[in-house]
Amino acid sequence: MTSLLLRVKSKMSIFAHRKARGILDGEYGSVFRGRSLDFDDLRAYVPGDEVRDIDWKASARHGSPLIKRYVAVRRQTLMLVADTGRNMAAESRDGETKKDIAVMVLGVMGYLAHRHGDVVGLVCGDANGSRTLPAKAGEAHLERLLQEVDSSTGLGSGPSRLEEQLHHVAHTVKGRKLLFVVTDELAASPGLEQLLRRLRAQHEVLWLTIRDAELSGATHSPDAFSVADAAPLLGRIAASPAVATAYETATAERDAGRHAMLRRVGISEGHVANSHDVMTELFALLERHRRAG
């Protein structure tokens, strides 16, 4: 059996030199900084402190700004939340299988957690149900998680429905965790937004979208079909300027709706179309999340 984690670590070495990996390590470590920690005491504010750490009520009583100090929890929990429905067996925008990109993304995040001494778990599934692999430490466990995602995702999988996995998290994952959600280009909905608000109130949430293939790709493959229902994608129709324009408009509206929904609930989103850009996109996502915090 090919080691997926070894493949992830090899790509990390190829696409990011040591300094860049160190910066990415630092961004991961900053996600929990000042949050998910045990309160210790208060001290006077000094220039450079995070404004979000000011205890405003205590400051008002004291007459000058006071900062909350925390005792770091030694080990945090990263929960990987992955869609393993058949949508993820489709091609991405740059031609790779979305499943392969997902394994790379999940592997990089899991390995960062491992390097920080954190434990990593997995929630994955499709519209037919979800399953949890409990959070544990170690590279062997991380390899098992990646193998689970890889082996569970295919054209024979059930339909993709990320809401099922998110509901599963809401009902089964206790305590404050870092949720890292990897899925394809979902559409916003009132039900999904309400669910995300519930999750965001309890957990840190990061969201990474894997880009769908372009409709124009159907013009180059006479055997192209939709993985959702096996319907053929007719190249002649896909090549029609009117169809292409309508498709682009619908895609832009869907993406704008999702972006707006995630902004409203306070979740940072990243996008990736190939495994080569995973390190860069993860760094940008972690940076956005830190700044938004």
Side-chain angles (χ1 to χ4, degrees):
M1 181 184 296
T2 302
S3 171
L4 297 176
L5 181 56
L6 180 60
R7 187 185 305 169
V8 167
K9 291 162 67 176
S10 296
K11 287 190 176 182
M12 288 178 71
S13 297
I14 293 172
F15 297 116
H17 55 72
R18 184 174 301 174
K19 182 178 180 181
R21 290 199 301 273
I23 294 173
L24 188 57
D25 270 331
E27 287 297 332
Y28 173 87
S30 72
V31 170
F32 278 113
R33 189 168 298 157
R35 301 187 292 278
S36 293
L37 305 175
D38 291 336
F39 174 74
D40 186 19
D41 62 9
L42 297 169
R43 66 163 173 79
Y45 172 87
V46 296
D49 285 334
E50 294 278 358
V51 174
R52 66 186 176 189
D53 288 338
I54 295 177
D55 187 322
W56 295 105
K57 290 183 178 180
S59 298
R61 292 193 299 268
H62 187 263
S64 61
L66 295 175
I67 291 290
K68 296 177 184 178
R69 292 202 297 186
Y70 300 88
V71 177
V73 177
R74 285 189 177 183
R75 179 169 288 182
Q76 305 293 346
T77 300
L78 169 66
M79 289 299 297
L80 306 174
V81 182
D83 172 10
T84 53
R86 58 175 173 258
N87 280 9
M88 298 299 284
E91 286 187 358
S92 70
R93 182 159 299 184
D94 286 359
E96 290 181 75
T97 303
K98 287 191 279 187
K99 175 186 74 171
D100 292 339
I101 301 172
V103 168
M104 178 65 180
V105 169
L106 296 168
V108 172
M109 277 296 288
Y111 187 61
L112 288 173
H114 166 71
R115 286 170 58 89
H116 281 259
D118 294 342
V119 293
V120 186
L122 171 69
V123 172
C124 64
D126 52 37
N128 297 326
S130 301
R131 55 199 174 278
T132 300
L133 278 69
K136 297 180 181 179
E139 291 193 9
H141 175 68
L142 181 54
E143 175 68 30
R144 181 189 173 204
L145 303 187
L146 299 182
Q147 292 288 348
E148 178 71 17
V149 172
D150 184 68
S151 63
S152 301
T153 310
L155 296 178
S157 303
S160 290
R161 187 174 184 273
L162 185 70
E163 289 92 332
E164 166 63 31
Q165 285 70 66
L166 296 177
H167 275 293
H168 185 79
V169 170
H171 288 94
T172 64
V173 176
K174 308 303 180 183
R176 191 168 179 81
K177 307 291 192 292
L178 171 59
L179 305 182
F180 182 55
V181 181
V182 177
T183 185
D184 66 346
E185 296 181 331
L186 293 185
S189 70
L192 177 57
E193 182 167 344
Q194 182 179 9
L195 177 56
L196 291 175
R197 286 188 186 279
R198 175 180 175 182
L199 291 171
R200 182 65 182 86
Q202 180 180 354
H203 306 288
E204 297 283 341
V205 185
L206 295 169
W207 187 289
L208 193 134
T209 295
I210 298 179
R211 293 290 197 181
D212 289 340
E214 299 281 4
L215 180 65
S216 59
T219 64
H220 303 298
S221 175
D223 300 320
F225 64 94
S226 167
V227 298
D229 55 12
L233 300 176
L234 302 180
R236 184 174 301 174
I237 296 176
S240 163
V243 170
T245 299
Y247 178 83
E248 290 175 2
T249 300
T251 297
E253 290 176 351
R254 178 199 61 196
D255 289 349
R258 183 180 66 255
H259 300 336
M261 175 188 68
L262 292 174
R263 282 197 303 271
R264 286 193 297 269
V265 300
I267 295 176
S268 299
E269 181 186 17
H271 311 88
V272 67
N274 59 68
S275 59
H276 297 276
D277 293 337
V278 164
M279 297 287 286
T280 302
E281 292 301 320
L282 277 181
F283 174 82
L285 173 59
L286 290 168
E287 174 73 5
R288 281 195 298 275
H289 181 81
R290 181 177 66 81
R291 292 183 178 276

